[in-house]
Amino acid sequence: LKEKNLSGSAMTHWLRWLTIKELFLFAEIVWNQFFYQLRAGKAFFTHGYQDFGDYSFLKGAICFQLWHGFPIKKIGADNSNTPNEGKRIYENYQYFLASSPVMARRMSTAFSYYGAQKENVLIASMPRVDYLRENSNNYELKAAIKKKLGIDSGEFVITYLPTFRDKSRQVFSFQKVNNQEVSHILEEKNAVLLERQHFVRRSSNNGQRVGNYLNLDETVDTQDILLITDLLISDYSSVYVDFIALNKPIIHFLYDNDDYLKNDRGTYAIDPRREFAGPVAYTIPELLSIIGNKNNFFEKYRLRANKNLEFNQNYNSRFIDWNLKVQKSLNVLSLFNLLLLNCQIKCNTLLK
């Protein structure tokens, strides 16, 4: 209002116009949700029905749950905190996507109340991982992403992407800690440290760069972040599972390991380190020691993760009959890649 230098009746008229404009915009959003859902023959989700809005009008549509990660942590009904998830909610899917037999087994139990069974969990390559594989040598794209983020082409990119905590409020941030030893190794390696907390904690992500630290906001696609990353630091977040496809170093930084395993949702594996794709650090000195180690010992961890997560089979060319009634076969990857190119990670797309 100060910028427009409005007061009195002029300000009243402007606010009234703004309110009307917002109402029309809201009506358009609601109408689009209603219109496209009613017309949809197929609907694709990465989280749940809320992807499409507050209400579901998907009567008759075939619903596909793509899911947005790999179940390293317990999810859905497998989470002891939510053993009845989906039991009393009208939300049902005809098909679920899994990238390996391990994921398929976990999806069938975690989402059993949502309709998941052994028979309708389809094993195929994840579209977001295909995006990484297909663009791993796309230097033009990677240069464009770096330019958008203000990263020099010669800078070594270290990315920190932690998961959220259900119960613990203990959240580690490199930028907030401002450790001198971390800053020194970043300078030494001509590196920039990208950090983005889980979207549940959006307030921590302001998109600002301070020295060798860049705090990313939610406007940057996670897969684009991974694409330009040279070294990934994570914890129990399944983002590292996607990153495996790029054959780059991964470090699991478990600063609250004991507290997380005892008091939070827990992991599927009794010893989650068997499914990790990199060495584990529990303290900053241990983390810096691994970063500074010039010996390339990361490959053995990737091989172990691929084996234990059962990525040893190739599902990239798998064809699945989406609609048994019309006997029309569709290539899962082509369909999902089309979705990926037209949406963000949280995909609100309907296909008719």
Side-chain angles (χ1 to χ4, degrees):
L1 293 176
K2 288 182 179 179
E3 290 178 359
K4 290 184 174 293
N5 195 26
L6 297 175
S7 61
S9 60
M11 180 171 63
T12 302
H13 286 301
W14 187 80
L15 288 172
R16 186 178 298 161
W17 175 84
L18 182 62
T19 302
I20 293 172
K21 183 180 178 182
E22 289 175 340
L23 284 173
F24 273 109
L25 179 61
F26 176 75
E28 181 182 4
I29 293 172
V30 172
W31 168 251
N32 285 338
Q33 290 178 7
F34 179 76
F35 178 74
Y36 287 112
Q37 286 190 56
L38 283 179
R39 294 190 61 199
K42 298 179 180 68
F44 295 81
F45 302 83
T46 59
H47 291 72
Y49 275 19
Q50 71 272 19
D51 288 357
F52 295 164
D54 296 328
Y55 302 99
S56 173
F57 303 99
L58 290 168
K59 185 175 178 60
I62 300 175
C63 297
F64 302 85
Q65 176 55 266
L66 311 183
W67 201 236
H68 54 272
F70 192 103
I72 297 297
K73 305 176 300 180
K74 290 186 177 180
I75 59 174
D78 292 339
N79 180 359
S80 60
N81 300 319
T82 57
N84 295 315
E85 183 177 328
K87 198 170 185 178
R88 299 180 182 88
I89 299 176
Y90 177 69
E91 187 170 339
N92 200 267
Y93 305 92
Q94 282 70 54
Y95 294 100
F96 297 78
L97 179 66
S99 56
S100 80
V102 168
M103 182 173 179
R105 291 192 292 271
R106 294 174 183 179
M107 292 288 283
S108 64
T109 57
F111 297 122
S112 57
Y113 295 130
Y114 292 104
Q117 304 173 33
K118 182 179 179 181
E119 295 75 19
N120 66 350
V121 180
L122 313 174
I123 300 178
S125 181
M126 287 287 174
R128 61 181 186 272
V129 177
D130 292 334
Y131 175 78
L132 295 177
R133 290 195 185 101
E134 292 165 6
N135 291 288
S136 60
N137 294 319
N138 189 336
Y139 301 108
E140 185 177 345
L141 174 61
K142 289 194 280 189
I145 297 169
K146 284 188 174 183
K147 183 177 180 180
K148 178 183 177 182
L149 295 175
I151 300 172
D152 293 339
S153 59
E155 285 187 295
F156 186 81
V157 179
I158 301 174
T159 301
Y160 177 52
L161 298 174
T163 191
F164 71 97
R165 271 70 177 159
D166 286 309
K167 297 182 178 180
S168 174
R169 291 296 172 186
Q170 184 183 358
V171 178
F172 179 87
S173 169
F174 283 99
Q175 190 166 347
K176 290 182 179 179
V177 169
N178 192 24
N179 184 283
Q180 292 301 313
E181 292 180 349
V182 175
S183 299
H184 175 74
I185 200 167
L186 292 178
E187 291 285 349
E188 189 179 71
K189 297 178 75 69
N190 186 30
V192 57
L193 198 156
L194 314 184
E195 178 176 322
R196 183 163 75 185
Q197 297 292 330
H198 194 275
F199 72 86
V200 169
R201 306 184 184 278
R202 280 192 182 95
S203 59
S204 302
N205 305 322
N206 54 28
Q208 296 180 354
R209 177 165 181 169
V210 179
N212 293 85
Y213 300 90
L214 176 57
N215 202 343
L216 298 172
D217 59 29
E218 297 298 326
T219 62
V220 189
D221 191 287
T222 304
Q223 304 312 103
D224 285 342
I225 298 172
L226 295 180
L227 204 57
I228 64 170
T229 296
D230 297 302
L231 168 64
L232 176 67
I233 302 173
S234 191
D235 45 19
Y236 302 98
S237 170
S238 68
V239 69
Y240 82 86
V241 178
D242 293 358
F243 196 69
I244 289 175
L246 294 176
N247 294 318
K248 293 181 180 179
I250 300 169
I251 302 174
H252 296 268
F253 182 42
L254 310 183
Y255 61 90
D256 61 346
N257 179 64
D258 292 337
D259 179 65
Y260 184 85
L261 292 179
K262 291 178 182 177
N263 302 318
D264 221 283
R265 64 173 59 192
T267 60
Y268 280 95
I270 296 176
D271 183 358
R273 292 174 299 180
R274 290 179 51 81
E275 297 184 344
F276 287 169
V280 174
Y282 299 98
T283 64
I284 289 181
E286 289 178 0
L287 178 66
L288 296 180
S289 175
I290 296 172
I291 293 175
N293 193 327
K294 296 182 180 180
N295 297 320
N296 186 4
F297 56 88
F298 293 97
E299 180 65 19
K300 67 177 183 179
Y301 292 99
R302 281 197 296 272
L303 292 174
R304 183 184 66 181
N306 278 324
K307 178 182 178 181
N308 292 334
L309 296 176
E310 297 184 18
F311 287 132
N312 54 331
Q313 302 180 56
N314 184 7
Y315 296 102
N316 286 7
S317 59
R318 183 183 178 93
F319 285 81
I320 296 175
D321 184 2
W322 284 119
N323 193 336
L324 298 178
K325 293 182 180 178
V326 296
Q327 294 298 309
K328 182 178 180 181
S329 294
L330 295 175
N331 187 324
V332 173
L333 299 185
S334 297
L335 197 62
F336 288 160
N337 278 323
L338 183 62
L339 279 170
L340 184 67
L341 292 173
N342 287 282
C343 65
Q344 292 285 329
I345 287 300
K346 187 169 183 179
C347 164
N348 300 327
T349 304
L350 292 168
L351 296 183
K352 183 178 178 183

